[in-house]
């Protein structure tokens, strides 16, 4: 990586993490835009969920296109552009998508809207592929995950504000809520005009900012052997995309198409791991086992993060979990997203040069303060938050987990993987408030996983870091696939039992922590002296 290590990159870091806010803002806002589309275009629930499928699928397709373009031109396009320019171009693409959304909404075509959403996600994909290794490179590799953690905290501030702001823009503030069916098209137009303007403004800000050059000029040999597994994964993605039409055409239940697609993805990655271990020629970044294990981990992590809250609305409507009305569900969904922010703000402490005693004190204070911010945001929106106070016990468990993890990625990821398993098992074994808070606390467990996985997966990749980052961003695909997998299980076995899916996801993440640690030690990388933090 080219960078002047004698410089302080604090200002560059704070510039870059602004884009993390937008990713969180829009991703969490999808839950507000979905009911508008469902009411306005008279969609089924499955059809409305194509918004999330398109959004997370866009990350996969964007990274896939970038990779194959690099293979075809025999040039690592992102390295040639530079990470700074990659972020700028990504913002411009997202701005174009936001502008296209206006005629898409006015056209009355849901397919057109999905296309515009897809363009926005393509821009996010390029931004993420560039920004994550950029953040890691702005300082020592050992503290790279801590900088990602700080960025993750900003990301989750966006997830907290996004639904509130977008809800006010579309449906009005507390006390004057407009039904989704009555929202005027002009409100949606203004929303996306604002987003487009913000994307362009931030792109200009990056363009004029004096950011360091962070890129690799080393030539990367062709990685032609990765083309087949990536192509197979693309086919599996398409199989889920057309699961609905295939069900209507053949009469087979949807699981006949969705479950095999998930199996195809996992088997393909494990087969690639086996094949690449025999020879490194032609495999590029996928020759490194920590990357392939990490690709599955990112797939699993994003999937479990999304699926817990995506299916929570249906869970809350059941009598066993309170029989809540739709208007009463929002605070719990907000608390889930807020839980990710609580953990990431806590992990961000490690990025600052503080004494051990000060860090320990802040590790107690910051999560409690962040929990207060979550409660305050909901209270400002007219919600009675008194019944959420008991959640402070779950926050206390998070604090203990951070203390035990000591900012080490292997240890931290393993601890929170096990805590995630326990939380989901408690939720499965109980009902009512205990079970509900147990499932919501999955957000606390997810909060620290992105930077730990990312740091472990790209450790030791050297000149393949950019390519490895692209592969990891592709695996955000898990957010498209794991939620419908749980949804199908819910249709056949009940929404409560379907939460066995997150148990399996957390189990793999705990396994990955230990496996990646062992693999890296064999490569001479001292994982005990790497540090970890917060999240995506």
């Amino acid at each position: 990586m080219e960078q002047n290590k004698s410089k302080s990159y604090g200002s560059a870091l704070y510039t870059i993490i602004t884009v993390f806010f937008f990713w969180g803002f829009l991703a969490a806002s999808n839950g507000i835009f979905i009911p508008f589309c469902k009411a306005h275009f008279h969609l089924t629930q499955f059809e409305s969920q194509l918004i999330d499928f398109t959004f997370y699928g866009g990350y996969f397709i964007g990274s896939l296109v970038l990779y194959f373009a690099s293979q075809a031109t025999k040039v690592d396009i992102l390295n040639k552009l530079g990470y700074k320019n990659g972020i700028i171009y990504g913002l411009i693409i997202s701005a174009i998508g936001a502008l296209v959304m206006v005629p898409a909404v006015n056209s009355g075509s849901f397919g057109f809207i999905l296309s515009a959403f897809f363009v926005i996600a393509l821009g996010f994909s390029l931004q993420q592929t560039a920004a994550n290794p950029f953040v890691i490179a702005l300082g020592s590799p050992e503290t790279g995950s801590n900088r990602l953690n700080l960025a993750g905290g900003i990301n989750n501030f966006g997830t907290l504000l996004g639904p509130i702001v977008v809800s006010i823009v579309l449906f009005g503030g507390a006390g004057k809520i407009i039904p989704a069916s009555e929202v005027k098209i002009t409100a949606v137009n203004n929303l996306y005009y604002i987003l487009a303007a913000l994307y362009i403004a931030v792109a200009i800000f990056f363009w004029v900012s004096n950011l360091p050059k962070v890129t690799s000029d080393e030539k990367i040999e062709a990685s032609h052997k990765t083309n087949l597994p990536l192509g197979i994964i693309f086919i599996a993605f398409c199989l889920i995309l057309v699961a609905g039409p295939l069900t209507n055409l053949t009469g087979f239940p949807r699981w006949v198409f969705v479950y095999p697609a998930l199996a195809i993805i996992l088997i393909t990655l494990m087969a690639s791991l086996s094949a690449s271990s025999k020879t490194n020629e032609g495999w590029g970044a996928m020759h490194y086992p920590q990357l392939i294990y990490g690709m599955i981990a990112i797939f699993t992590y994003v999937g479990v993060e999304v699926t817990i809250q995506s299916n929570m609305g249906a869970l809350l409507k059941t009598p066993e979990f309170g029989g809540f009305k739709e208007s009463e569900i929002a605070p719990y969904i907000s608390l889930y997203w807020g839980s990710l922010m609580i953990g990431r703000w806590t992990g961000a402490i490690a990025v600052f040069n503080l004494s051990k005693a000060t860090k320990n004190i802040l590790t107690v204070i910051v999560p409690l303060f962040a929990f207060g911010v979550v409660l305050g945001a909901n209270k400002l929106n007219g919600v009675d938050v008194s019944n959420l106070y008991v959640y402070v016990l779950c926050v206390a468990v998070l604090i203990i987990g951070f203390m035990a993890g000591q900012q080490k990625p292997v240890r931290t990821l393993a601890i929170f993987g096990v805590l995630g398993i326990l939380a989901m098992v408690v939720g499965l074994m109980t009902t009512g408030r205990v079970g509900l808070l147990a499932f919501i606390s999955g957000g606390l467990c997810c909060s620290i996983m992105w930077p730990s996985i990312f740091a472990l997966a790209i450790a030791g990749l050297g000149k393949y870091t950019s390519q490895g980052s692209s592969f990891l961003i592709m695996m955000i695909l898990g957010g498209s696939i794991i939620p419908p997998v749980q949804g199908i299980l819910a249709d056949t076995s009940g929404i409560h039992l379907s939460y066995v899916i997150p148990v399996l996801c957390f189990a793999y993440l705990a396994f990955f922590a230990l496996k990646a640690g062992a693999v890296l030690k064999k490569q001479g990388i001292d994982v005990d002296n790497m540090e970890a933090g917060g999240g995506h």
Side-chain angles (χ1 to χ4, degrees), residues 175-235:
K176 52 178 181 179
I177 301 299
I178 304 171
S181 59
E182 298 179 13
V183 174
K184 295 181 179 179
I185 289 293
T186 54
V188 182
N189 290 348
N190 291 337
L191 170 64
Y192 282 95
Y193 279 133
I194 292 170
L195 286 175
L198 288 173
Y199 296 148
I200 293 171
V202 175
I204 294 172
F205 177 62
F206 268 82
W207 182 53
V208 300
S209 297
N210 185 24
L211 296 178
K213 181 184 179 184
V214 181
T215 185
S216 171
D217 290 332
E218 294 184 72
K219 184 178 179 181
I220 299 180
E221 58 267 26
S223 307
H224 58 275
K225 290 183 180 178
T226 61
N227 295 346
L228 178 60
L230 293 177
I232 293 173
I233 293 173
F234 172 72
I235 292 172

Side-chain angles (χ1 to χ4, degrees), residues 122-133:
L122 284 178
F124 281 7
S125 174
L126 182 55
Q127 293 168 45
Q128 287 234 27
T129 305
N132 281 286

Side-chain angles (χ1 to χ4, degrees), residues 11 34-35 58 66 99 101 140 165 191 243-244 257 267 309 355 359 390 431 448 485 496 501:
S11 60
I34 285 171
L66 182 65
L99 291 172
M101 184 66 78
S140 66
V165 172
L191 170 64
F257 307 105
I267 291 171
Q309 73 90 29
S355 67
K359 286 182 179 180
V390 69
T431 56
I448 55 82
V485 167
H496 191 187
I501 297 295

Side-chain angles (χ1 to χ4, degrees), residues 33 36-37 40-41 96-120 185 188-189 192-193:
F33 191 63
F36 164 74
C37 286
H40 188 77
F41 295 104
I96 292 171
L99 291 172
V100 170
M101 184 66 78
V102 175
V105 170
N106 291 339
S107 73
S109 169
F110 185 58
F112 195 179
I113 287 177
L114 290 180
S115 299
F117 232 142
F118 182 74
V119 175
I120 294 174
I185 289 293
V188 182
N189 290 348
Y192 282 95
Y193 279 133

Side-chain angles (χ1 to χ4, degrees), residues 9-21 23 131-132 135-136 138 143-158 340-354 366 402 407 447-448 450-452 531-536:
Y9 290 110
S11 60
L13 174 63
Y14 302 141
T15 300
I16 291 169
I17 61 178
T18 56
V19 296
F20 283 73
F21 176 87
W23 304 339
N132 281 286
V135 169
I136 288 178
L138 291 176
T143 57
S145 60
N146 291 332
R147 290 186 292 280
L148 274 183
N149 169 57
L150 177 62
I154 301 300
N155 174 272
N156 266 101
F157 190 57
L340 277 89
M341 186 187 77
I342 292 168
R344 289 165 185 174
W345 281 18
T346 307
I349 296 167
V351 81
F352 301 104
N353 187 20
L354 305 170
V366 169
F402 265 103
Q407 302 298 330
S447 64
I448 55 82
W450 174 273
S452 296
E531 298 186 10
H536 163 64

